[in-house]
Coordinates of all heavy atoms in Angstrom, one line a residue:
L9 N 111.9 179.9 93.0 CA 112.4 181.0 92.2 C 112.1 180.8 90.7 O 112.2 179.7 90.2 CB 114.0 181.0 92.4 CG 114.7 182.0 91.5 CD1 114.5 183.4 92.0 CD2 116.2 181.6 91.5
A10 N 111.5 181.8 90.1 CA 111.2 181.8 88.7 C 112.2 182.8 88.0 O 112.2 183.9 88.3 CB 109.8 182.1 88.4
R11 N 113.0 182.3 87.0 CA 113.9 183.1 86.3 C 113.5 183.1 84.8 O 113.5 182.0 84.2 CB 115.3 182.7 86.4 CG 116.3 183.6 85.8 CD 117.7 183.1 85.9 NE 117.9 181.9 85.1 CZ 118.1 181.9 83.8 NH1 118.1 183.0 83.1 NH2 118.3 180.7 83.2
N12 N 113.2 184.3 84.3 CA 112.8 184.4 82.9 C 114.1 184.1 82.0 O 115.1 184.8 82.2 CB 112.3 185.8 82.6 CG 111.8 185.9 81.1 OD1 112.5 185.8 80.2 ND2 110.5 186.2 81.0
V13 N 114.0 183.1 81.2 CA 115.2 182.7 80.4 C 115.7 183.8 79.5 O 116.9 183.9 79.3 CB 114.8 181.4 79.6 CG1 115.9 181.0 78.6 CG2 114.5 180.3 80.5
E14 N 114.8 184.6 78.9 CA 115.2 185.6 78.0 C 115.7 186.9 78.6 O 116.7 187.5 78.2 CB 114.0 186.0 77.1 CG 113.6 184.9 76.1 CD 112.3 185.3 75.3 OE1 112.1 186.5 75.2 OE2 111.7 184.4 74.8
T15 N 115.1 187.3 79.7 CA 115.4 188.6 80.3 C 116.3 188.5 81.6 O 116.9 189.4 82.0 CB 114.2 189.4 80.7 OG1 113.5 188.7 81.8 CG2 113.3 189.6 79.5
G16 N 116.3 187.3 82.2 CA 117.0 187.1 83.5 C 116.2 187.6 84.7 O 116.7 187.5 85.8
L17 N 115.0 188.2 84.5 CA 114.2 188.7 85.6 C 113.9 187.5 86.5 O 113.5 186.4 86.1 CB 112.9 189.3 85.0 CG 111.9 189.7 86.1 CD1 112.4 191.0 86.7 CD2 110.6 189.9 85.5
Q18 N 114.0 187.8 87.8 CA 113.7 186.7 88.8 C 112.6 187.1 89.7 O 112.5 188.3 90.1 CB 115.0 186.4 89.6 CG 116.1 185.8 88.8 CD 117.3 185.4 89.7 OE1 117.2 185.5 90.9 NE2 118.4 185.0 89.0
R19 N 111.8 186.2 90.1 CA 110.7 186.4 91.1 C 110.8 185.2 92.0 O 110.9 184.1 91.6 CB 109.4 186.5 90.4 CG 108.2 186.6 91.2 CD 107.9 188.0 91.6 NE 108.0 189.0 90.6 CZ 107.0 189.6 89.9 NH1 105.8 189.2 90.2 NH2 107.2 190.5 89.0
S20 N 110.7 185.5 93.3 CA 110.7 184.4 94.3 C 109.5 184.3 95.1 O 108.7 185.3 95.2 CB 112.0 184.5 95.2 OG 111.9 185.7 96.0
S21 N 109.3 183.2 95.8 CA 108.1 183.0 96.6 C 108.5 182.2 97.8 O 109.5 181.4 97.8 CB 107.0 182.4 95.8 OG 105.9 182.1 96.6
V22 N 107.7 182.3 98.9 CA 107.9 181.4 100.1 C 106.8 180.4 100.1 O 105.7 180.7 99.8 CB 107.9 182.3 101.4 CG1 108.1 181.4 102.6 CG2 109.1 183.3 101.3
V23 N 107.1 179.2 100.4 CA 106.2 178.1 100.5 C 105.4 178.2 101.8 O 106.0 178.4 102.9 CB 106.9 176.7 100.4 CG1 105.9 175.6 100.5 CG2 107.6 176.6 99.1
S24 N 104.1 178.0 101.8 CA 103.3 178.0 103.0 C 103.4 176.7 103.8 O 104.1 175.7 103.3 CB 101.8 178.1 102.6 OG 101.3 176.9 102.0
D25 N 102.9 176.6 104.9 CA 102.9 175.4 105.8 C 102.3 174.2 105.1 O 102.6 173.1 105.4 CB 102.2 175.6 107.1 CG 102.9 176.7 108.0 OD1 104.1 176.9 107.8 OD2 102.2 177.2 108.9
R26 N 101.4 174.5 104.1 CA 100.7 173.4 103.4 C 101.4 173.0 102.1 O 101.0 172.1 101.4 CB 99.3 173.8 103.1 CG 98.5 174.2 104.3 CD 97.1 174.7 103.9 NE 96.2 173.5 104.1 CZ 95.0 173.4 103.6 NH1 94.5 174.4 102.9 NH2 94.3 172.4 103.9
G27 N 102.6 173.7 101.9 CA 103.4 173.3 100.7 C 103.0 174.0 99.4 O 103.5 173.7 98.4
S28 N 102.1 175.0 99.5 CA 101.7 175.7 98.3 C 102.5 177.1 98.2 O 103.0 177.6 99.1 CB 100.2 176.0 98.3 OG 99.9 176.8 99.4
Y29 N 102.6 177.5 96.9 CA 103.3 178.8 96.7 C 102.6 179.5 95.5 O 101.8 178.8 94.7 CB 104.8 178.5 96.3 CG 104.9 177.7 95.1 CD1 105.2 178.2 93.8 CD2 104.9 176.3 95.2 CE1 105.3 177.5 92.7 CE2 105.0 175.5 94.0 CZ 105.2 176.1 92.8 OH 105.3 175.3 91.7
A30 N 102.9 180.7 95.3 CA 102.3 181.5 94.2 C 103.4 182.4 93.7 O 104.0 183.1 94.4 CB 101.1 182.3 94.6
L31 N 103.5 182.5 92.3 CA 104.4 183.4 91.7 C 103.5 184.3 90.8 O 103.2 183.9 89.7 CB 105.5 182.7 90.8 CG 106.5 181.8 91.6 CD1 107.1 180.8 90.8 CD2 107.5 182.7 92.3
L32 N 103.1 185.4 91.4 CA 102.2 186.3 90.7 C 102.9 187.3 89.9 O 104.0 187.7 90.1 CB 101.3 187.0 91.8 CG 100.6 186.0 92.7 CD1 99.9 186.8 93.8 CD2 99.6 185.1 92.0
G33 N 102.2 187.8 88.8 CA 102.7 188.9 88.0 C 103.8 188.6 87.0 O 104.5 189.5 86.6
L34 N 104.0 187.3 86.7 CA 105.0 186.9 85.7 C 104.5 187.3 84.3 O 103.3 187.1 84.0 CB 105.3 185.4 85.7 CG 105.8 184.9 87.0 CD1 105.9 183.4 86.9 CD2 107.1 185.5 87.4
V35 N 105.4 187.9 83.5 CA 105.0 188.2 82.1 C 105.2 186.9 81.3 O 105.9 186.0 81.7 CB 106.0 189.3 81.5 CG1 105.8 190.6 82.3 CG2 107.4 188.9 81.5
A36 N 104.5 186.8 80.2 CA 104.5 185.6 79.4 C 105.9 185.4 78.9 O 106.7 186.3 78.7 CB 103.6 185.8 78.2
G37 N 106.3 184.1 78.9 CA 107.6 183.7 78.5 C 108.0 182.4 79.0 O 107.2 181.6 79.6
V38 N 109.3 182.0 78.8 CA 109.8 180.8 79.3 C 110.6 181.0 80.5 O 111.5 181.9 80.6 CB 110.7 180.1 78.2 CG1 111.4 178.8 78.7 CG2 109.9 179.8 76.9
Y39 N 110.4 180.2 81.6 CA 111.0 180.4 82.9 C 111.7 179.1 83.3 O 111.2 178.0 83.1 CB 109.9 180.8 83.9 CG 109.4 182.2 83.8 CD1 108.4 182.5 82.9 CD2 110.0 183.2 84.5 CE1 107.9 183.7 82.7 CE2 109.5 184.5 84.4 CZ 108.5 184.8 83.5 OH 108.0 186.0 83.3
D40 N 112.8 179.2 84.0 CA 113.4 178.2 84.8 C 112.8 178.3 86.2 O 113.1 179.4 86.8 CB 114.9 178.2 84.8 CG 115.5 177.8 83.5 OD1 114.8 177.0 82.7 OD2 116.6 178.2 83.2
I41 N 112.1 177.4 86.7 CA 111.4 177.5 88.0 C 112.2 176.5 88.9 O 112.2 175.3 88.6 CB 109.9 177.2 87.9 CG1 109.3 178.2 87.0 CG2 109.3 177.2 89.3 CD1 107.8 178.0 86.7
T42 N 112.7 177.0 90.0 CA 113.5 176.2 90.9 C 112.9 176.2 92.3 O 112.6 177.2 92.8 CB 115.0 176.8 91.0 OG1 115.5 176.8 89.7 CG2 115.9 175.9 91.9
A43 N 112.8 174.9 92.8 CA 112.4 174.7 94.2 C 113.6 174.3 95.0 O 114.3 173.4 94.5 CB 111.2 173.7 94.2
R44 N 113.8 174.9 96.1 CA 114.9 174.5 97.0 C 114.5 174.6 98.4 O 113.7 175.4 98.8 CB 116.1 175.3 96.6 CG 116.1 176.8 96.9 CD 117.4 177.5 96.7 NE 118.0 177.1 95.5 CZ 118.3 177.9 94.5 NH1 117.9 179.2 94.6 NH2 118.8 177.5 93.4
R45 N 115.2 173.8 99.2 CA 115.1 173.9 100.7 C 116.4 173.4 101.3 O 117.0 172.5 100.8 CB 113.9 173.0 101.2 CG 113.7 173.0 102.6 CD 112.5 172.2 103.1 NE 112.4 172.1 104.5 CZ 111.4 172.6 105.2 NH1 110.4 173.2 104.5 NH2 111.4 172.6 106.5
V46 N 116.8 174.0 102.4 CA 118.0 173.6 103.1 C 118.0 172.1 103.4 O 117.0 171.6 103.9 CB 118.2 174.4 104.4 CG1 119.4 174.0 105.1 CG2 118.3 175.9 104.1
G47 N 119.1 171.5 103.0 CA 119.3 170.0 103.2 C 118.7 169.1 102.1 O 118.8 167.9 102.2
L48 N 118.1 169.8 101.1 CA 117.5 169.0 100.0 C 118.1 169.5 98.7 O 118.5 170.7 98.6 CB 116.0 169.1 100.0 CG 115.3 168.7 101.2 CD1 113.8 169.0 101.1 CD2 115.5 167.2 101.4
E49 N 118.2 168.6 97.7 CA 118.7 169.0 96.4 C 117.7 169.9 95.7 O 116.5 169.6 95.6 CB 118.9 167.8 95.5 CG 120.1 167.0 95.9 CD 121.5 167.6 95.6 OE1 121.5 168.5 94.7 OE2 122.4 167.3 96.3
P50 N 118.1 171.1 95.1 CA 117.2 171.9 94.4 C 116.8 171.2 93.1 O 117.5 170.4 92.5 CB 118.0 173.2 94.0 CG 119.4 172.8 94.3 CD 119.4 171.6 95.2
T51 N 115.5 171.5 92.6 CA 115.0 170.9 91.4 C 114.5 172.0 90.5 O 113.9 173.0 91.0 CB 113.8 170.0 91.7 OG1 114.3 168.9 92.5 CG2 113.3 169.4 90.4
T52 N 114.9 172.0 89.2 CA 114.5 173.1 88.3 C 113.8 172.5 87.1 O 114.1 171.4 86.6 CB 115.8 173.8 87.8 OG1 116.5 174.4 88.9 CG2 115.4 174.9 86.8
R53 N 112.7 173.2 86.7 CA 111.9 172.8 85.5 C 111.8 174.0 84.6 O 111.6 175.1 85.1 CB 110.5 172.4 85.9 CG 110.5 171.1 86.7 CD 109.1 170.6 86.8 NE 109.0 169.5 87.7 CZ 107.9 169.1 88.3 NH1 106.8 169.8 88.1 NH2 107.9 168.1 89.1
R54 N 111.9 173.8 83.3 CA 111.7 174.9 82.4 C 110.2 174.8 82.0 O 109.7 173.8 81.6 CB 112.6 174.7 81.2 CG 112.4 175.9 80.2 CD 113.6 176.0 79.3 NE 114.7 176.5 80.0 CZ 115.9 176.9 79.5 NH1 116.1 176.7 78.2 NH2 116.9 177.4 80.2
Q55 N 109.5 176.0 82.0 CA 108.1 176.0 81.8 C 107.8 177.3 81.0 O 108.2 178.4 81.3 CB 107.4 176.0 83.1 CG 105.9 176.0 83.0 CD 105.4 174.7 82.4 OE1 105.8 173.6 82.9 NE2 104.5 174.7 81.5
R56 N 106.9 177.1 79.9 CA 106.4 178.3 79.2 C 105.2 178.8 79.9 O 104.3 178.0 80.3 CB 106.1 177.9 77.8 CG 105.5 179.1 77.0 CD 105.3 178.8 75.5 NE 106.6 178.5 74.9 CZ 107.5 179.5 74.5 NH1 107.2 180.8 74.7 NH2 108.6 179.2 73.9
I57 N 105.1 180.1 80.2 CA 104.0 180.7 80.9 C 103.3 181.6 79.9 O 103.9 182.4 79.2 CB 104.5 181.5 82.1 CG1 105.3 180.7 83.1 CG2 103.3 182.2 82.8 CD1 104.6 179.6 83.7
A58 N 102.0 181.5 79.8 CA 101.1 182.3 78.9 C 100.4 183.3 79.7 O 100.2 183.2 80.9 CB 100.2 181.4 78.1
V59 N 99.9 184.4 79.0 CA 99.1 185.4 79.6 C 97.9 184.8 80.3 O 97.1 184.1 79.7 CB 98.7 186.5 78.6 CG1 97.8 187.5 79.2 CG2 100.0 187.2 78.1
G60 N 97.6 185.2 81.6 CA 96.4 184.7 82.2 C 96.4 183.3 82.7 O 95.4 182.8 83.2
Q61 N 97.5 182.6 82.5 CA 97.6 181.2 82.8 C 97.7 180.9 84.3 O 98.5 181.6 85.0 CB 98.8 180.5 82.1 CG 98.9 179.0 82.3 CD 100.1 178.5 81.5 OE1 101.0 179.2 81.0 NE2 100.1 177.2 81.4
T62 N 97.0 179.9 84.8 CA 97.2 179.4 86.1 C 97.8 178.0 85.9 O 97.2 177.2 85.2 CB 95.9 179.3 86.9 OG1 95.4 180.7 87.0 CG2 96.1 178.7 88.3
L63 N 98.9 177.7 86.6 CA 99.6 176.5 86.4 C 100.0 175.9 87.7 O 100.3 176.6 88.7 CB 100.9 176.8 85.6 CG 101.8 175.7 85.3 CD1 101.2 174.8 84.3 CD2 103.1 176.3 84.7
T64 N 99.8 174.6 87.8 CA 100.3 173.9 89.0 C 101.5 173.1 88.7 O 101.5 172.3 87.8 CB 99.1 173.0 89.5 OG1 98.0 173.7 89.8 CG2 99.6 172.2 90.8
L65 N 102.6 173.3 89.5 CA 103.8 172.5 89.3 C 104.1 171.9 90.7 O 104.2 172.6 91.7 CB 105.0 173.4 88.9 CG 104.9 173.9 87.5 CD1 106.1 174.8 87.2 CD2 105.0 172.8 86.5
D66 N 104.2 170.6 90.7 CA 104.6 169.9 92.0 C 106.0 169.5 91.9 O 106.5 169.0 90.8 CB 103.7 168.7 92.2 CG 102.2 169.0 92.5 OD1 102.0 170.1 93.1 OD2 101.4 168.3 92.0
F67 N 106.8 169.7 92.9 CA 108.2 169.4 93.0 C 108.4 168.3 94.0 O 107.8 168.4 95.1 CB 109.0 170.6 93.3 CG 109.1 171.6 92.2 CD1 108.1 172.6 92.1 CD2 110.1 171.6 91.3 CE1 108.2 173.6 91.2 CE2 110.1 172.5 90.3 CZ 109.2 173.5 90.2
Q68 N 109.3 167.4 93.7 CA 109.8 166.4 94.7 C 111.3 166.7 94.9 O 112.0 166.6 94.0 CB 109.6 165.0 94.3 CG 110.3 164.0 95.1 CD 109.4 162.8 95.6 OE1 108.3 162.7 95.1 NE2 109.9 162.1 96.5
L69 N 111.6 167.0 96.2 CA 113.0 167.3 96.5 C 113.6 166.1 97.2 O 113.0 165.6 98.2 CB 113.1 168.6 97.3 CG 112.5 169.8 96.7 CD1 112.6 171.0 97.7 CD2 113.1 170.2 95.4
D70 N 114.8 165.7 96.8 CA 115.5 164.6 97.4 C 116.5 165.1 98.4 O 117.0 166.2 98.2 CB 116.2 163.7 96.3 CG 115.1 163.1 95.4 OD1 114.1 162.7 95.9 OD2 115.4 163.0 94.2
A71 N 116.9 164.3 99.3 CA 117.9 164.6 100.3 C 119.2 165.0 99.5 O 119.6 164.3 98.6 CB 118.2 163.5 101.2
A72 N 119.9 166.0 100.0 CA 121.1 166.5 99.4 C 122.3 165.6 99.9 O 122.3 165.2 101.0 CB 121.4 167.9 99.7
T73 N 123.2 165.4 99.0 CA 124.5 164.7 99.4 C 125.4 165.8 99.7 O 125.8 166.6 98.9 CB 125.0 163.9 98.2 OG1 124.0 163.0 97.7 CG2 126.3 163.2 98.5
T74 N 125.8 165.8 101.0 CA 126.6 166.9 101.5 C 128.0 166.4 101.9 O 128.1 165.3 102.5 CB 126.0 167.5 102.7 OG1 124.7 168.0 102.4 CG2 126.8 168.7 103.2
T75 N 129.0 167.0 101.4 CA 130.4 166.7 101.7 C 130.9 167.8 102.6 O 131.0 168.9 102.2 CB 131.3 166.6 100.5 OG1 130.7 165.6 99.6 CG2 132.7 166.2 100.8
L76 N 131.4 167.4 103.8 CA 131.9 168.3 104.7 C 133.4 168.4 104.5 O 134.1 167.3 104.4 CB 131.6 168.0 106.2 CG 130.1 167.9 106.5 CD1 129.9 167.4 107.9 CD2 129.4 169.2 106.3
S77 N 134.0 169.5 104.6 CA 135.4 169.7 104.5 C 136.0 170.2 105.8 O 135.3 170.9 106.5 CB 135.8 170.6 103.3 OG 135.2 171.8 103.4
A78 N 137.2 169.9 106.0 CA 137.9 170.3 107.3 C 138.2 171.8 107.2 O 138.5 172.4 106.2 CB 139.2 169.5 107.5
V79 N 138.0 172.4 108.4 CA 138.4 173.8 108.5 C 139.5 173.9 109.6 O 139.3 173.4 110.7 CB 137.1 174.7 109.0 CG1 137.5 176.1 109.2 CG2 136.0 174.5 107.9
T80 N 140.5 174.6 109.3 CA 141.6 174.7 110.2 C 141.7 176.2 110.6 O 141.8 177.1 109.8 CB 143.0 174.3 109.6 OG1 142.9 173.0 109.1 CG2 144.1 174.4 110.6
V81 N 141.7 176.4 112.0 CA 141.8 177.8 112.5 C 143.1 177.9 113.2 O 143.4 177.1 114.1 CB 140.6 178.1 113.4 CG1 140.7 179.4 114.0 CG2 139.3 177.9 112.7
T82 N 143.8 178.9 112.9 CA 145.1 179.2 113.6 C 145.1 180.6 114.1 O 144.5 181.5 113.5 CB 146.3 179.0 112.7 OG1 146.2 179.9 111.6 CG2 146.4 177.6 112.2
A83 N 145.7 180.7 115.3 CA 145.8 182.1 115.9 C 147.1 182.1 116.7 O 147.6 181.1 117.1 CB 144.6 182.3 116.8
S84 N 147.6 183.3 116.9 CA 148.8 183.5 117.7 C 148.3 184.0 119.1 O 147.3 184.6 119.2 CB 149.7 184.5 117.1 OG 149.1 185.7 116.9
A85 N 149.1 183.6 120.1 CA 148.8 184.0 121.5 C 149.1 185.5 121.7 O 150.0 186.0 121.1 CB 149.6 183.1 122.4
I86 N 148.3 186.1 122.5 CA 148.4 187.5 122.8 C 148.8 187.5 124.3 O 148.1 187.0 125.1 CB 147.2 188.3 122.5 CG1 146.8 188.3 121.1 CG2 147.3 189.7 123.0 CD1 145.5 188.9 120.7
E87 N 149.9 188.2 124.6 CA 150.3 188.3 126.0 C 149.5 189.4 126.7 O 149.3 190.5 126.2 CB 151.8 188.7 126.0 CG 152.3 188.8 127.5 CD 153.8 189.2 127.5 OE1 154.5 188.9 126.5 OE2 154.2 189.7 128.5
T88 N 149.0 189.0 127.8 CA 148.2 190.0 128.6 C 148.9 190.1 130.0 O 149.4 189.1 130.5 CB 146.8 189.5 128.8 OG1 146.7 188.3 129.4 CG2 146.0 189.5 127.5
R89 N 148.9 191.3 130.6 CA 149.5 191.5 131.9 C 148.4 192.0 132.8 O 147.6 192.9 132.4 CB 150.6 192.5 131.8 CG 151.7 192.0 131.0 CD 152.9 193.0 131.0 NE 153.9 192.5 130.1 CZ 155.0 193.2 129.9 NH1 155.3 194.3 130.6 NH2 155.9 192.7 129.1
T90 N 148.4 191.5 134.0 CA 147.4 191.9 135.0 C 148.0 192.5 136.2 O 149.1 192.3 136.5 CB 146.4 190.8 135.4 OG1 147.2 189.7 135.9 CG2 145.6 190.3 134.2

């Protein structure tokens, strides 16, 4: 996900099987670029993008620390007659 810091405009991309991605059509400016995957901690970098620039950013995502919380489900019985 690339989010323009000034305008808030967001552009997302899906990573290929080989781990590459492309964020095309970004206007020049400063972006917060975030890589995320389920089960891993997201990583964000701030990057200035210039007109016509091709940029390679590699991300290393670490395992997420997940805390599970208890869920309690309550229900009342419904009487049925057959």
